[in-house]
Amino acid sequence: MAIVNASDQTFNTETNEGLVLADFWAPWCGPCKMIAPVLEEVDQEMEEVKVVKLDVDENQETAGKYGVMSIPTLLVFKDGQVVDQVVGFQPKEALVELLNKHK
C-alpha cells in the first residue's frame, strides 16, 4: 500500500478504518526526513498497516486536535481511535513492535 498524504479535510477518513500509523511532520524537520525511509519500509513490509503523513505546517487544525507539540509525532490509530503515540525518530524495529501490539 502506498503512503497517503492527508490534509485537515481527509485525515479522519484516512484514519477511521483498520490499523493506521499517522506521521505528523514538516519539510524543515531533520528527524522527520530521517524517519521517512523507515516509514517507507514499514509500509512495504506490513501490508495490514496503512501509513498516513500529515504536514503540520499546512494542516494545523488536525495537529492541534491531537495535541501535537513536537515532530515527528507518530500516532497509531485502530478503527479511528488513537491507541498509541511516540515522539521523535524511531528505528524500524521499534515501530514494528509498536504496531504489532495493536494488531
Side-chain angles (χ1 to χ4, degrees):
M1 193 181 308
I3 292 178
V4 174
N5 287 299
S7 66
D8 283 339
Q9 292 73 33
T10 63
F11 189 81
N12 287 343
T13 304
E14 296 294 352
T15 58
N16 70 353
E17 194 175 305
L19 192 59
V20 179
L21 178 62
D23 173 30
F24 290 78
W25 70 286
W28 48 264
C29 165
C32 299
K33 291 177 186 173
M34 290 171 46
I35 204 168
V38 174
L39 295 175
E40 291 282 350
E41 288 181 33
V42 168
D43 183 61
Q44 290 172 3
E45 294 175 20
M46 299 185 76
E47 293 179 11
E48 68 281 12
V49 176
K50 179 179 187 179
V51 178
V52 174
K53 294 177 67 95
L54 184 87
D55 181 338
V56 297
D57 285 346
E58 295 179 7
N59 301 284
Q60 295 177 6
E61 181 180 321
T62 302
K65 175 181 173 183
Y66 291 100
V68 173
M69 303 298 281
S70 300
I71 53 173
T73 291
L74 302 168
L75 299 181
V76 179
F77 288 82
K78 187 163 188 175
D79 297 326
Q81 301 298 313
V82 177
V83 293
D84 225 325
Q85 173 178 335
V86 291
V87 178
F89 176 82
Q90 302 292 317
K92 183 178 87 173
E93 296 76 19
L95 291 179
V96 168
E97 186 177 320
L98 176 76
L99 292 163
N100 280 335
K101 287 191 321 191
H102 300 289
K103 279 186 178 177

